[in-house]
Amino acid sequence: MSERMVKQFMEMVKIDSESGNEARMMEYLLAEIPKAGGEAALDDYGNLIATFPAKGCEGKEPVLLSCHADTVKPGVGIEPVIEDGVIRSKGDTILGADDKAGIAEVLEAMRVSEVRPPVEFAVSRQEEVGLLGMKNMDFSRLSAKRGFLMDNDTLDTIVIGGPSYFAIDVTITGKAAHAGMEPEKGINAILAASKAIGALRLGRLDHETTANVGVIEGGLIRNGVPDRVSFLAECRSADHQKGQDLAKEMERIIHEKVEATGAKAEIKVDNLCRAVSIPEDAATVKIAQKALAKQGIEAKPIFITGFTDASIYNNQGIEMAVVGIGAKDEHTTHESIAVADMEKALTALIEMLRLSAE
Ligand SMILES: [Zn+2]
C-alpha cells in the first residue's frame, strides 16, 4: 500500500499548485477520489468536499478529514527525488509534502481502511495565504462535528490551538518629484515606510505574541522621489485581546510616522481568525494519541503561534485536532519526507478511523 501511496504523492507534487492556482490539483482530485471509493465536488469558492461511505460499522457519526491543496513558493516545476527512503525536491523548489503528503495518506487510508464511520474529506484552497479557502468554505456541505486535519509536520505533536491572526495591508502615498532637479517638491514614500517599519515592535514579543513585516514594494526609478510604497505586515497572539491591541498599536504607529513625513497611509486590518483551542482531552485528541501510541509515538498536545485551517473549523464548532503527516523542513527548499514516516502517519490514520467508529 505504501508504494501506491508514494507513487500518488510523487504524482501530486508534480502538479503546480501555488496558492491561488489550485485548479489543476482539484481536477486531479476530482478524478482520483471516485477511484478511492468516494464522491467529490467543488464548492463555489473552489474548495473540494468529498464523502466516503462507512465500512465495517453502521449508524456512526461522520468524521471529517481535511488537507489543503495549495503550496507555498517556490512551488512551480517540482521534481521529487527519492533517495535512501527519503523524498525531497531537486533543491530549487519546495517539495510540497505540506500538504500533499496528507492528501496521499488520506486517499490511501480511504482505499484500505476496513472499519470507519462515514468520512467527509475537505481540501481547501489558499491555506498558505491566510486561510482564504477555509474562510470561504461552504460549511453547509459538511455535517461532521469532529475530525482530523492532516497538516502538522511532526508525528509526535497534536496541535490543539492557534492564535488570533491579523493581516495588515499598508499603502503609503507620497509625492513624486525629480530626485536631482527638485527633490524638495517630493514626499518620499520609501522614507515614510522605513520610518514607520523602524518604529514597529517586530519579532517574538512575548511567549504567545509575534509581529512581522513580510513584503515591501515601491519605487520605480533611481532618480525619482517615490510616491508609492506598499507593505504587508501581520501580528498574531494566542490571546485575542492582545492580538487586537497589537494590531491597533501597529496601525497607530504607522499613521503617526508616515504622516509626520507628509505622506499618507492607507491601512487595512483584517482579523482572519480568532484564537481558539480545543481541550487537551478532547475526543479527537485522545483518539489521535491512542492511534499514534500504537506506532510507538507519544504525541503531545501543543498550542502553536502558527495557524491552520483547524482554527476556522474550531471557530465553526467543528472539533479538529491537527495531526502529523511526517514531513520535515516545510516551507523551505530542503523540505523532505521519509517514506517510513508516511507509512506511520497512514497506519495511525487508519487506526484513528477505526477508533472513531467505536
Ligand atoms: Zn500546511
Side-chain angles (χ1 to χ4, degrees), residues 68 98-99 127-128 151 330-331:
H68 60 87
D98 172 15
D99 191 19
E127 189 269 353
E128 302 283 9
D151 193 20
E330 291 181 352
H331 295 203

Side-chain angles (χ1 to χ4, degrees), residues 1-6 65 101-113 150 155 291-292 295 297 323-326 337-354:
M1 62 187 182
S2 91
E3 216 172 286
R4 180 171 54 189
M5 172 174 66
V6 168
L65 300 178
I103 298 174
E105 289 157 11
V106 169
L107 292 179
E108 189 59 24
M110 290 303 97
R111 287 188 282 255
V112 301
S113 67
M150 303 295 293
L155 295 166
L292 286 157
Q295 302 291 301
I297 299 164
V323 298
I325 56 173
I337 191 164
V339 172
D341 286 336
M342 283 186 84
E343 282 167 357
K344 280 185 197 162
L346 169 65
T347 312
L349 176 57
I350 293 167
E351 179 65 5
M352 283 180 234
L353 292 169
R354 194 188 67 78

Side-chain angles (χ1 to χ4, degrees), residues 129-162:
V129 287
L131 314 181
L132 294 180
M134 194 51 68
K135 271 195 100 174
N136 291 288
M137 170 71 73
D138 182 354
F139 280 93
S140 72
R141 297 182 186 219
L142 296 174
S143 63
K145 289 280 165 277
R146 58 181 48 89
F148 307 96
L149 183 76
M150 303 295 293
D151 193 20
N152 184 16
D153 46 5
T154 60
L155 295 166
D156 57 0
T157 57
I158 296 165
V159 176
I160 56 166

